């Protein structure tokens, strides 16, 4: 499947640096698999939020990348930001653990919400290794080819930006450690 770059809804600075990825054959395959998954059931996050991490944190604004596994797979949880859930949704255990570590290290109390949009707007890119998931099935889209895309994102940030901190939380995220640094 060929991708029309004009149809990719992503923040313009990211569209520019990732255009070769969007036009690559593997990204067309991701789109095909995603459309098939949607035809067979519910996929999270909603289509308009798949690139939320990019849309809230423009390329030149990235200071920190927190890399998780894949979106939450429960109803109304996934919002295209790793570890984040919308206001009004119970804070998941993984985020509770993160909040506890922040309190332990910095003395900052846990907020009442799991919505990390305010982090993203401050330059914290909340990226998952896989950007979609089928309802109720953790890591179900890990074979879609998202890893090629997120590898490219990490490489582009590493090659074109300086002084970015990468935090890899979870085994799929830690699998990114061997990515070459130029």
């Amino acid at each position: 499947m060929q991708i029309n770059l004009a149809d990719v809804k992503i923040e313009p600075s990211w569209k520019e640096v990732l255009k070769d990825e969007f036009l690559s054959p593997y990204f067309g395959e991701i789109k095909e698999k995603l459309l098939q998954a949607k035809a067979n059931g519910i996929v999270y996050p909603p289509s308009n939020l798949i690139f939320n991490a990019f849309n809230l944190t423009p390329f030149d604004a990235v200071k920190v990348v927190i890399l998780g596994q894949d979106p939450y797979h429960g109803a109304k949880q996934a919002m295209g930001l790793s570890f984040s859930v919308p206001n009004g949704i119970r804070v998941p255990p993984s985020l509770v653990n993160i909040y506890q570590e922040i309190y332990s290290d910095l003395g900052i109390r846990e907020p009442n919400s799991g919505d990390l949009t305010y982090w993203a707007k401050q330059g914290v890119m909340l990226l998952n290794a896989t950007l979609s998931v089928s309802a109720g099935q953790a890591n179900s889209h890990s074979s879609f080819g998202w890893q090629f895309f997120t590898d490219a994102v990490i490489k582009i940030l590493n090659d074109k930006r300086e002084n970015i901190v990468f935090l890899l939380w979870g085994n799929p995220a830690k699998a990114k450690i061997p990515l070459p640094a130029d």
Side-chain angles (χ1 to χ4, degrees), residues 96-116:
V96 168
N97 290 339
I98 291 167
Y99 285 161
Q100 288 172 347
E101 289 298 323
I102 290 170
Y103 178 74
S104 173
D105 287 351
L106 304 172
I108 298 172
R109 297 230 177 257
E110 178 178 328
N112 295 328
S113 171
D115 186 346
L116 302 178

Side-chain angles (χ1 to χ4, degrees), residues 126-153:
L126 299 162
L127 180 66
N128 280 308
T130 300
L131 301 187
S132 63
V133 66
S134 291
Q137 301 173 36
N139 221 17
S140 55
H141 294 188
S142 63
S143 65
F144 280 25
W146 283 120
Q147 70 277 10
F148 300 118
F149 183 74
T150 53
D151 285 358
V153 169

Side-chain angles (χ1 to χ4, degrees), residues 65-71 82-83 125-130 167-174 176:
V65 177
I66 297 177
L67 189 65
Q69 176 177 298
D70 61 349
S82 62
F83 302 101
M125 185 174 200
L126 299 162
L127 180 66
N128 280 308
T130 300
L167 300 172
L168 311 177
W169 291 343
N171 287 331
K174 289 177 186 172
K176 304 284 189 190

Side-chain angles (χ1 to χ4, degrees), residues 19-165:
K19 65 184 169 193
D20 291 341
E21 302 306 315
F22 292 125
L23 298 174
S24 70
Y26 84 81
F27 201 86
E29 291 174 19
I30 291 172
K31 184 173 181 180
E32 283 181 16
K33 291 174 183 175
L34 196 52
L35 290 172
Q36 185 176 16
K38 287 179 180 184
N40 292 325
I42 298 170
V43 171
Y44 297 121
S47 296
N48 66 319
L49 295 178
I50 285 180
F51 295 122
N52 202 23
F54 301 87
N55 293 331
L56 291 173
T57 314
F59 180 75
D60 289 331
V62 177
K63 299 173 189 168
V64 175
V65 177
I66 297 177
L67 189 65
Q69 176 177 298
D70 61 349
Y72 292 121
H73 52 84
K76 300 180 183 178
Q77 291 180 318
M79 55 186 294
L81 301 173
S82 62
F83 302 101
S84 184
V85 293
N87 282 323
I89 301 298
R90 184 180 67 81
V91 177
S94 55
L95 185 52
V96 168
N97 290 339
I98 291 167
Y99 285 161
Q100 288 172 347
E101 289 298 323
I102 290 170
Y103 178 74
S104 173
D105 287 351
L106 304 172
I108 298 172
R109 297 230 177 257
E110 178 178 328
N112 295 328
S113 171
D115 186 346
L116 302 178
T117 299
Y118 67 103
W119 284 13
K121 289 180 177 180
Q122 294 178 66
V124 179
M125 185 174 200
L126 299 162
L127 180 66
N128 280 308
T130 300
L131 301 187
S132 63
V133 66
S134 291
Q137 301 173 36
N139 221 17
S140 55
H141 294 188
S142 63
S143 65
F144 280 25
W146 283 120
Q147 70 277 10
F148 300 118
F149 183 74
T150 53
D151 285 358
V153 169
I154 291 166
K155 183 165 181 13
I156 287 168
L157 282 167
N158 193 53
D159 290 351
K160 296 183 183 267
R161 296 286 316 284
E162 293 182 355
N163 303 317
I164 294 179
V165 175

